[in-house]
Amino acid sequence: TPVIPAGVVLLRDASSCIFQHNPSNHPDRFKCMLQPTIVSSEPGTYGSEGVVLQGEDGCVLFIQPVTWAWDGNAFIFESDDDLDTINACFVPNTLLSQGQAAPTPTTAPTTPVIPAGVVLLRDDSSCIFQHNPSNHPDRFKCMLQPTIVSSEPGTYGSEGVVLQGEDGC
């Protein structure tokens, strides 16, 4: 089941995450700034249920969200990891996504599946099926919200990959 609220895109901005120590107002926590997304103050509490998020090069961190997108641009959470570890995984301009808990440390993939900087965030239109045997093999086309341009891999018959969509499908 998804843990990141629908519509929230955890795409980091260009700044490093920070540690916030303020025992009079709130428990110690971390804050990573995001590129603008929808506002979400969920779960809105400290000590929430922990989740696994995936960052740069497939690294995973176990965190406890405080607010997923405070003011639509700040991801606030608790973690037992230190600031250096968090900044090494939640690198600026990286899309953070729901990860899978691993019982033992795992090795990050040697080749990223999605090119760096490309965000596969669908727009509101339906995907279409394209049948045009004179120009290309049959294929599907899904429109995206604006992202960087990439023509990778640039061929048909490339190696298949697994992508996760809404509600984990």
Side-chain angles (χ1 to χ4, degrees), residues 122-130 139-143:
R122 295 278 321 284
D123 72 5
D124 293 330
S125 65
S126 296
C127 293
I128 60 170
F129 178 74
Q130 294 182 317
R139 63 187 185 184
F140 290 92
K141 179 178 176 183
C142 300
M143 300 305 293

Side-chain angles (χ1 to χ4, degrees), residues 54 56-60 102 104-111:
Q54 181 173 317
E56 178 78 357
D57 294 330
C59 74
V60 292
T104 57
T106 59
T107 303
T110 56
T111 306

Side-chain angles (χ1 to χ4, degrees), residues 63-78:
I63 62 103
Q64 294 173 278
V66 176
T67 60
W68 287 104
W70 179 260
D71 203 27
N73 67 1
F75 171 43
I76 301 170
F77 59 96
E78 297 172 286

Side-chain angles (χ1 to χ4, degrees), residues 8-162:
V8 171
V9 178
L10 298 178
L11 181 58
R12 297 271 295 107
D13 76 359
S15 66
S16 294
C17 298
I18 62 170
F19 176 73
Q20 294 183 316
H21 176 71
N22 188 349
S24 63
N25 283 347
H26 55 70
D28 291 348
R29 64 189 190 181
F30 295 92
K31 179 167 80 171
C32 298
M33 298 307 292
L34 305 171
Q35 293 184 24
T37 187
I38 68 167
V39 172
S40 172
S41 57
E42 293 178 29
T45 61
Y46 292 92
S48 64
E49 185 176 336
V51 298
V52 176
L53 291 184
Q54 181 173 317
E56 178 78 357
D57 294 330
C59 74
V60 292
L61 293 179
F62 183 77
I63 62 103
Q64 294 173 278
V66 176
T67 60
W68 287 104
W70 179 260
D71 203 27
N73 67 1
F75 171 43
I76 301 170
F77 59 96
E78 297 172 286
S79 176
D80 290 334
D81 288 300
D82 63 24
L83 183 59
D84 289 339
T85 301
I86 289 168
N87 276 318
C89 188
F90 294 175
V91 175
N93 301 309
T94 296
L95 179 65
L96 309 180
S97 60
Q98 182 175 344
Q100 300 298 319
T104 57
T106 59
T107 303
T110 56
T111 306
V113 174
I114 301 170
V118 172
V119 178
L120 299 180
L121 181 61
R122 295 278 321 284
D123 72 5
D124 293 330
S125 65
S126 296
C127 293
I128 60 170
F129 178 74
Q130 294 182 317
H131 175 70
N132 188 348
S134 63
N135 278 349
H136 54 72
D138 291 350
R139 63 187 185 184
F140 290 92
K141 179 178 176 183
C142 300
M143 300 305 293
L144 302 174
Q145 291 188 20
T147 187
I148 69 166
V149 175
S150 174
S151 59
E152 292 180 30
T155 62
Y156 293 97
S158 58
E159 186 175 335
V161 299
V162 176

